[in-house]
Amino acid sequence: MASRQFATFEVDGQLFGVEVNTVQEVLSYNEYTPVPLAPPAVGGLFNLRGQVIAAVDLRVQLGLARQALQGPVMNVILRGDGEPVSLLVDKIGEVVDLDDETFEPPPDTLSGPTRELVVGTFKLDGRLMLALDVNQAVDTYRATN
């Protein structure tokens, strides 16, 4: 039986996951530089060991209120098609092994911006994990076009 590993995290109490092979690292950071005239989902920029990383607020991508960037904020640094990009999330979860046979398409009740970002679901111990499309999640122009 084939399985995949997912790094999990929460936004607004909902459990999300991305395949581990798309994650560079997870960290807490608290100094972000604003980006004037950037799309609303861009939370700012930060310096990670000499590399400038754009932080995308997943709350905004999901149609929720912007995250307050005061104090440490959790970041999931993703390896995108080009430069690494950070997703700002509320809480970091754990890495889970999931069987491909338990993968299901997004439920019909999932709507709005979340529907565009989710590729499917997995049922975990009484919770539903929404598997994110990494490219859609970091596309800050998606919502503005």
Side-chain angles (χ1 to χ4, degrees):
M1 181 179 328
S3 69
R4 295 183 277 173
Q5 287 189 316
F6 282 81
T8 64
F9 48 87
E10 290 184 22
V11 175
D12 197 39
Q14 175 62 56
L15 185 65
F16 291 92
V18 292
E19 289 195 58
V20 167
N21 64 358
T22 65
V23 178
Q24 175 176 312
E25 63 188 288
V26 174
L27 56 88
S28 174
Y29 205 80
N30 61 357
E31 293 182 34
Y32 298 88
T33 302
V35 183
L37 306 176
V42 175
L45 302 174
F46 66 98
N47 186 323
L48 180 64
R49 296 181 292 278
Q51 186 173 23
V52 176
I53 306 285
V56 176
D57 191 336
L58 189 54
R59 294 179 66 85
V60 173
Q61 294 288 73
L62 295 169
L64 302 168
R66 185 179 191 87
Q67 185 167 22
L69 296 179
Q70 299 171 346
V73 178
M74 298 310 300
N75 291 264
V76 178
I77 313 287
L78 302 170
R79 294 184 204 109
D81 293 331
E83 298 292 318
V85 177
S86 171
L87 280 182
L88 300 174
V89 301
D90 296 346
K91 182 180 175 185
I92 298 298
E94 57 191 2
V95 173
V96 294
D97 288 304
L98 300 171
D99 293 326
D100 285 341
E101 290 179 4
T102 63
F103 179 82
E104 297 180 13
D108 292 336
T109 56
L110 195 61
S111 62
T114 305
R115 178 72 177 205
E116 298 172 23
L117 302 180
V118 173
V119 294
T121 63
F122 290 92
K123 292 178 184 166
L124 308 175
D125 298 327
R127 289 191 79 181
L128 191 65
M129 186 199 83
L130 302 178
L132 281 181
D133 178 326
V134 170
N135 292 324
Q136 286 292 320
V138 299
D139 181 0
T140 58
Y141 291 100
R142 173 188 58 77
T144 59
N145 287 340

